[in-house]
Amino acid sequence: MATFQIEGGHQLKGEIHPQGAKNEALQILCAVLLTPDEIVIHNVPDILDVNKLIGILGNLGVKIQKLGKGSFSFKSDELNLDYLESQKFKEEGSSLRGSIMIVGPLLGRFGKGYIPRPGGDKIGRRRLDTHFGGFINLGAKFRYNKEERFYGVEAPEGLKGAEMLLEEASVTGTANILMAAVLAEGTTTIYNAACEPYIQQLSKMLVSMGAKIDGIGSNLLKIEGVKELTGCTHRVLPDMIEIGSWIGLAAMSQSEITIKNVSWENLGIIPVTFRKLGIQLEKRGDDIYIPAHTDGYEVANFIDGSIMNISDAPWPGFTPDLLSIMLVVATQARGSVLIHQKMFESRLFFVDKLIDMGAKIILCDPHRATVIGHDFESQLKATTMTSPDIRAGISLLIAALSAKGTSTIHNIEQIDRGYEDIDGRLKAIGAKIYRHD
């Protein structure tokens, strides 16, 4: 288990180039299974979760070539579908939640798809009903081996288009059903579809491969099935979660940072939400400039004067992946804020570490925390902690970089799952951070 040692309390300065979006890359990589033709993908992030999925694709028989930093070609013309029922796949697939999205394209193209119960973050229940309910609507038969915790869907006669109303606007569920439906016979409509930029990007890629999809960017998708798809070239968006993490880091460490090429049009209300905490953001072309907040930042109130409430919601609401960042940034704000994590359980359970560091936080229940900001009148104190998941891990790292003294963070593999060369890029802007394997 690797560890970070972080000497906190230093102001940082410089430019940061965001990595490719993790959540988009996991979808896009699964989509290469839809065609035997070559697909080229650029701006693929070099992170643990993505590299695991590339490894699974290679074991499945996908021919993979690295063309340069972040650029790969994929050719799925000779797949070994027997691998899907092997012990090796059961072990590899269960360690990566994103592996669930290979099922849709395999089901659409070959009439069958299998997956072990996937892992990932320990952030509460994350049901797979949306995925498999959609496949069943398209005509697939579902089977589940309880002893081996192994799921399967089969449609030997092919899939048929259908109308469906999703129980929840699941991003991965929408992506999986969409990838199956593009090769189904007839018309499929998906209502209450997720419409995050990741889904929009996947849809645009599928259209460039020959799919027929209407309603991209809305929660109602209409898909006219086609017999086959062709190759394409696709570029992954910059990671909006990482961009939000850098904004939070700049504010907490009172640092002057420029985040380059952020794709402003795909950030939604992320900049607006940070401004609710009083953080100054300046749009410079397609960059974000954050000045050093040497005078701190003040939480806004609602119009009626009531306490600010920041909560998550499906897109175009505020992404749940940034709520832990907002919480840690609020610990040094001027004023108080209620952080309400509506979409997942247990994601606020890292706040005990922040309390150990001196933060004023009241954990109301598994979904809500009230933060009373220090206004930089006292620094957080360094401590030793363990990263429970990707987003809590980066939040604890931000806290440590702003704290007085040297902190230790264990289980940093959780951070590596979502952030490319995080220590190298932080060092480049002046951070005192050291990795110990």
Side-chain angles (χ1 to χ4, degrees):
M1 206 164 56
T3 298
F4 279 146
Q5 275 193 317
I6 304 107
E7 183 183 306
H10 298 284
Q11 279 189 302
L12 313 178
K13 186 170 183 176
E15 294 182 348
I16 290 283
H17 293 264
Q19 67 187 35
K22 166 186 177 279
N23 291 341
E24 178 190 339
L26 293 174
Q27 297 177 19
I28 297 302
L29 288 170
C30 293
V32 307
L33 297 170
L34 283 164
T35 177
D37 295 350
E38 183 184 42
I39 290 179
V40 175
I41 306 175
H42 299 297
N43 203 30
V44 177
D46 183 10
I47 56 177
L48 198 56
D49 276 10
V50 166
N51 293 335
K52 273 187 180 180
L53 181 56
I54 290 174
I56 288 172
L57 293 175
N59 291 334
L60 187 52
V62 179
K63 297 167 185 169
I64 303 169
Q65 278 189 296
K66 187 167 185 179
L67 307 177
K69 179 173 169 51
S71 295
F72 294 83
S73 76
F74 301 87
K75 194 171 177 62
S76 305
D77 57 343
E78 294 179 317
L79 298 184
N80 173 23
L81 298 182
D82 291 339
Y83 164 70
L84 295 173
E85 298 188 71
S86 69
Q87 186 59 37
K88 186 175 184 181
F89 176 59
K90 289 171 185 174
E91 293 169 2
E92 293 176 337
S94 63
S95 69
L96 176 66
R97 186 168 184 84
S99 62
I100 183 66
M101 288 183 290
I102 71 170
V103 176
L106 290 174
L107 178 64
R109 184 175 165 200
F110 298 104
K112 61 181 179 179
Y114 308 107
I115 193 74
R117 184 173 179 177
D121 289 332
K122 307 303 181 189
I123 55 174
R125 293 177 301 124
R126 303 171 78 186
R127 295 180 295 109
L128 299 176
D129 299 57
T130 301
H131 300 252
F132 291 105
F135 299 147
I136 291 167
N137 281 333
L138 293 171
K141 288 184 170 58
F142 173 74
R143 63 184 179 91
Y144 176 47
N145 183 322
K146 191 172 183 179
E147 288 72 30
E148 297 186 2
R149 295 157 67 92
F150 198 64
Y151 300 92
V153 277
E154 297 173 347
E157 304 301 319
L159 299 175
K160 307 289 185 185
E163 293 186 7
M164 61 186 84
L165 171 61
L166 302 189
E167 180 184 349
E168 59 174 342
S170 163
V171 176
T172 54
T174 300
N176 226 348
I177 297 164
L178 178 60
M179 287 188 281
V182 291
L183 291 176
E185 181 184 335
T187 303
T188 299
T189 57
I190 308 173
Y191 195 35
N192 195 29
C195 51
E196 273 79 353
Y198 318 127
I199 294 292
Q200 296 177 39
Q201 284 284 99
L202 173 64
S203 299
K204 291 171 184 175
M205 174 184 172
L206 294 173
V207 168
S208 71
M209 295 168 67
K212 297 178 180 178
I213 306 170
D214 289 326
I216 296 173
S218 77
N219 70 346
L220 177 59
L221 296 176
K222 183 178 179 181
I223 304 106
E224 295 286 344
V226 297
K227 291 191 179 299
E228 60 183 12
L229 296 173
T230 59
C232 72
T233 297
H234 180 83
R235 184 174 184 83
V236 176
L237 286 175
D239 195 316
M240 64 179 176
I241 311 304
E242 194 191 66
I243 291 164
S245 304
W246 296 124
I247 295 170
L249 170 65
M252 273 288 279
S253 60
Q254 298 180 295
S255 301
E256 181 184 357
I257 292 177
T258 299
I259 311 170
K260 303 293 289 182
N261 303 317
V262 300
S263 187
W264 266 90
E265 67 272 20
N266 288 297
L267 293 180
I269 65 169
I270 290 172
V272 172
T273 308
F274 276 102
R275 287 178 178 131
K276 289 180 179 179
L277 291 186
I279 296 168
Q280 300 173 52
L281 305 173
E282 185 179 323
K283 186 178 188 296
R284 294 185 173 180
D286 201 30
D287 302 341
I288 294 177
Y289 170 73
I290 305 112
H293 286 68
T294 52
D295 294 327
Y297 41 92
E298 184 171 1
V299 180
N301 287 327
F302 287 114
I303 291 172
D304 64 0
S306 57
I307 185 172
M308 176 55 62
N309 181 341
I310 294 176
S311 60
D312 58 339
W315 188 270
F318 188 67
T319 172
D321 284 341
L322 281 176
L323 267 192
S324 55
I325 304 289
M326 301 301 290
L327 189 149
V328 77
V329 172
T331 63
Q332 286 293 7
R334 190 158 52 251
S336 301
V337 62
L338 175 67
I339 303 294
H340 191 172
Q341 171 66 263
K342 296 178 180 178
M343 294 175 65
F344 296 104
E345 301 135 347
S346 311
R347 227 176 188 176
L348 300 180
F349 284 174
F350 73 100
V351 301
D352 60 329
K353 301 302 181 187
L354 298 177
I355 294 169
D356 288 346
M357 298 175 81
K360 296 176 182 176
I361 304 171
I362 302 165
L363 186 59
C364 309
D365 55 44
H367 292 276
R368 296 177 301 157
T370 300
V371 186
I372 299 117
H374 286 182
D375 191 20
F376 292 101
E377 291 179 0
S378 64
Q379 275 185 284
L380 298 180
K381 302 184 296 290
T383 190
T384 297
M385 43 202 161
T386 298
S387 172
D389 63 68
I390 301 175
R391 308 310 174 188
I394 198 70
S395 302
L396 294 173
L397 178 55
I398 290 170
L401 286 164
S402 74
K404 183 179 182 180
T406 300
S407 295
T408 301
I409 303 178
H410 298 294
N411 195 29
I412 60 171
E413 288 84 357
Q414 286 288 348
I415 300 173
D416 291 336
R417 286 179 51 212
Y419 291 83
E420 178 179 326
D421 187 26
I422 185 72
D423 45 327
R425 290 193 289 162
L426 284 169
K427 284 178 181 176
I429 58 173
K432 308 294 184 185
I433 179 171
Y434 309 95
R435 177 186 291 262
H436 301 285
D437 291 321

CSV table of all heavy atoms in Angstrom, one decimal, residues 8-10 36 65 72 77 83 108 150 154 159 170 194 225 233 245 283 293 368 381 388 398 428:
chain,number,residue,atom,x,y,z
A,8,GLY,N,2.5,20.6,4.4
A,8,GLY,CA,1.5,21.6,4.1
A,8,GLY,C,1.9,23.1,4.3
A,8,GLY,O,3.0,23.3,4.8
A,9,GLY,N,1.0,23.9,4.0
A,9,GLY,CA,1.1,25.4,4.3
A,9,GLY,C,1.9,26.2,3.3
A,9,GLY,O,2.3,27.3,3.6
A,10,HIS,N,2.1,25.6,2.1
A,10,HIS,CA,2.9,26.3,1.1
A,10,HIS,C,1.9,26.9,0.0
A,10,HIS,O,1.0,26.1,-0.4
A,10,HIS,CB,3.9,25.4,0.4
A,10,HIS,CG,5.0,24.9,1.4
A,10,HIS,ND1,6.0,25.7,1.9
A,10,HIS,CD2,5.1,23.7,2.0
A,10,HIS,CE1,6.8,25.0,2.7
A,10,HIS,NE2,6.2,23.7,2.8
A,36,PRO,N,-15.7,-4.2,-35.5
A,36,PRO,CA,-14.4,-4.9,-35.8
A,36,PRO,C,-13.4,-3.9,-36.4
A,36,PRO,O,-12.2,-4.2,-36.5
A,36,PRO,CB,-14.8,-6.0,-36.8
A,36,PRO,CG,-16.0,-5.4,-37.5
A,36,PRO,CD,-16.8,-4.7,-36.5
A,65,GLN,N,-2.9,-0.6,-29.6
A,65,GLN,CA,-1.6,0.0,-29.9
A,65,GLN,C,-1.6,1.4,-29.2
A,65,GLN,O,-2.5,2.1,-29.3
A,65,GLN,CB,-1.4,0.2,-31.4
A,65,GLN,CG,-0.9,-1.0,-32.1
A,65,GLN,CD,-0.5,-0.6,-33.6
A,65,GLN,OE1,-1.3,-0.2,-34.4
A,65,GLN,NE2,0.8,-0.8,-33.9
A,72,PHE,N,-4.4,6.0,-28.3
A,72,PHE,CA,-4.4,4.5,-28.5
A,72,PHE,C,-5.3,4.2,-29.7
A,72,PHE,O,-6.2,4.9,-30.0
A,72,PHE,CB,-5.0,3.8,-27.3
A,72,PHE,CG,-4.3,3.9,-26.0
A,72,PHE,CD1,-4.4,5.0,-25.2
A,72,PHE,CD2,-3.4,2.9,-25.7
A,72,PHE,CE1,-3.7,5.1,-24.0
A,72,PHE,CE2,-2.7,2.9,-24.5
A,72,PHE,CZ,-2.8,4.1,-23.7
A,77,ASP,N,-11.6,-7.1,-33.8
A,77,ASP,CA,-12.1,-8.0,-34.9
A,77,ASP,C,-11.9,-9.5,-34.6
A,77,ASP,O,-12.5,-10.3,-35.2
A,77,ASP,CB,-11.3,-7.7,-36.2
A,77,ASP,CG,-9.8,-7.8,-36.0
A,77,ASP,OD1,-9.3,-7.8,-34.9
A,77,ASP,OD2,-9.1,-7.8,-37.0
A,83,TYR,N,-13.2,-15.8,-22.6
A,83,TYR,CA,-12.5,-15.1,-21.5
A,83,TYR,C,-13.6,-14.6,-20.5
A,83,TYR,O,-13.3,-14.5,-19.3
A,83,TYR,CB,-11.7,-14.0,-22.0
A,83,TYR,CG,-11.2,-12.9,-21.0
A,83,TYR,CD1,-10.3,-13.2,-20.0
A,83,TYR,CD2,-11.8,-11.6,-21.1
A,83,TYR,CE1,-9.9,-12.3,-19.1
A,83,TYR,CE2,-11.4,-10.7,-20.1
A,83,TYR,CZ,-10.5,-11.0,-19.2
A,83,TYR,OH,-10.1,-10.1,-18.2
A,108,GLY,N,-25.2,-6.3,-27.7
A,108,GLY,CA,-25.7,-5.7,-28.9
A,108,GLY,C,-25.0,-6.4,-30.1
A,108,GLY,O,-25.7,-6.7,-31.1
A,150,PHE,N,-22.2,-13.7,-10.3
A,150,PHE,CA,-21.8,-13.5,-11.7
A,150,PHE,C,-23.1,-13.3,-12.4
A,150,PHE,O,-24.1,-14.0,-12.4
A,150,PHE,CB,-21.1,-14.8,-12.2
A,150,PHE,CG,-20.4,-14.6,-13.5
A,150,PHE,CD1,-19.3,-13.8,-13.5
A,150,PHE,CD2,-20.8,-15.3,-14.6
A,150,PHE,CE1,-18.6,-13.6,-14.7
A,150,PHE,CE2,-20.1,-15.1,-15.8
A,150,PHE,CZ,-19.0,-14.2,-15.9
A,154,GLU,N,-28.4,-12.7,-22.2
A,154,GLU,CA,-28.2,-13.4,-23.5
A,154,GLU,C,-29.4,-13.1,-24.4
A,154,GLU,O,-30.5,-13.0,-23.9
A,154,GLU,CB,-28.1,-14.9,-23.3
A,154,GLU,CG,-26.9,-15.3,-22.5
A,154,GLU,CD,-26.9,-16.8,-22.1
A,154,GLU,OE1,-27.9,-17.4,-22.3
A,154,GLU,OE2,-25.8,-17.2,-21.6
A,159,LEU,N,-31.4,-8.3,-30.4
A,159,LEU,CA,-32.2,-7.4,-29.5
A,159,LEU,C,-33.3,-6.7,-30.4
A,159,LEU,O,-33.1,-6.5,-31.6
A,159,LEU,CB,-31.3,-6.4,-28.9
A,159,LEU,CG,-30.2,-6.9,-28.0
A,159,LEU,CD1,-29.3,-5.8,-27.5
A,159,LEU,CD2,-30.8,-7.6,-26.8
A,170,SER,N,-29.2,6.9,-14.3
A,170,SER,CA,-27.9,6.4,-14.1
A,170,SER,C,-27.0,6.7,-15.3
A,170,SER,O,-27.4,6.4,-16.5
A,170,SER,CB,-28.0,4.9,-13.9
A,170,SER,OG,-26.8,4.3,-14.1
A,194,ALA,N,-29.7,9.7,-18.5
A,194,ALA,CA,-28.7,10.6,-18.0
A,194,ALA,C,-28.2,11.5,-19.2
A,194,ALA,O,-28.2,11.0,-20.3
A,194,ALA,CB,-27.5,9.9,-17.4
A,225,GLY,N,-32.0,1.5,-34.6
A,225,GLY,CA,-31.0,0.5,-34.7
A,225,GLY,C,-30.4,0.4,-36.1
A,225,GLY,O,-31.1,0.6,-37.1
A,233,THR,N,-12.5,8.2,-35.0
A,233,THR,CA,-11.5,8.9,-34.1
A,233,THR,C,-12.2,9.7,-33.1
A,233,THR,O,-13.1,10.5,-33.5
A,233,THR,CB,-10.5,9.7,-34.9
A,233,THR,OG1,-9.8,8.8,-35.8
A,233,THR,CG2,-9.5,10.4,-34.0
A,245,SER,N,-11.4,19.9,-8.7
A,245,SER,CA,-10.4,19.6,-7.6
A,245,SER,C,-9.3,20.7,-7.6
A,245,SER,O,-8.9,21.1,-6.5
A,245,SER,CB,-9.8,18.2,-7.8
A,245,SER,OG,-10.8,17.2,-7.9
A,283,LYS,N,-12.6,33.7,-16.4
A,283,LYS,CA,-12.5,33.0,-17.6
A,283,LYS,C,-11.6,33.7,-18.6
A,283,LYS,O,-11.8,34.9,-18.9
A,283,LYS,CB,-13.9,32.9,-18.3
A,283,LYS,CG,-14.0,32.1,-19.6
A,283,LYS,CD,-15.4,32.1,-20.1
A,283,LYS,CE,-15.6,31.1,-21.2
A,283,LYS,NZ,-14.8,31.5,-22.4
A,293,HIS,N,-6.3,33.7,-3.0
A,293,HIS,CA,-7.3,34.3,-2.1
A,293,HIS,C,-6.7,34.6,-0.7
A,293,HIS,O,-7.0,34.0,0.3
A,293,HIS,CB,-8.5,33.3,-1.9
A,293,HIS,CG,-9.3,33.1,-3.1
A,293,HIS,ND1,-8.9,32.6,-4.3
A,293,HIS,CD2,-10.6,33.5,-3.3
A,293,HIS,CE1,-9.9,32.6,-5.2
A,293,HIS,NE2,-10.9,33.1,-4.6
A,368,ARG,N,-25.7,14.5,5.3
A,368,ARG,CA,-25.6,16.0,5.5
A,368,ARG,C,-24.5,16.3,6.5
A,368,ARG,O,-24.4,15.7,7.5
A,368,ARG,CB,-27.0,16.6,6.0
A,368,ARG,CG,-28.1,16.4,5.0
A,368,ARG,CD,-29.4,17.0,5.6
A,368,ARG,NE,-29.8,16.2,6.8
A,368,ARG,CZ,-30.5,16.7,7.8
A,368,ARG,NH1,-31.1,17.9,7.7
A,368,ARG,NH2,-30.8,16.0,8.9
A,381,LYS,N,-4.5,21.2,11.2
A,381,LYS,CA,-3.3,20.6,11.7
A,381,LYS,C,-3.0,19.3,10.9
A,381,LYS,O,-4.0,18.5,10.6
A,381,LYS,CB,-3.5,20.3,13.2
A,381,LYS,CG,-3.8,21.5,14.1
A,381,LYS,CD,-3.8,21.1,15.5
A,381,LYS,CE,-5.0,20.1,15.9
A,381,LYS,NZ,-6.3,20.7,15.8
A,388,PRO,N,-10.3,6.6,1.7
A,388,PRO,CA,-11.4,5.6,1.6
A,388,PRO,C,-11.9,5.4,0.2
A,388,PRO,O,-12.3,4.4,-0.2
A,388,PRO,CB,-12.5,6.1,2.5
A,388,PRO,CG,-12.3,7.6,2.5
A,388,PRO,CD,-10.9,7.9,2.3
A,398,ILE,N,-6.0,17.7,-0.5
A,398,ILE,CA,-6.2,19.2,-0.5
A,398,ILE,C,-6.1,19.8,1.0
A,398,ILE,O,-5.4,20.8,1.2
A,398,ILE,CB,-7.5,19.6,-1.1
A,398,ILE,CG1,-7.4,19.3,-2.6
A,398,ILE,CG2,-7.8,21.1,-0.9
A,398,ILE,CD1,-8.7,19.5,-3.4
A,428,ALA,N,5.2,20.2,-9.6
A,428,ALA,CA,5.5,21.2,-10.7
A,428,ALA,C,5.0,22.6,-10.4
A,428,ALA,O,5.6,23.6,-10.9
A,428,ALA,CB,5.0,20.7,-12.0
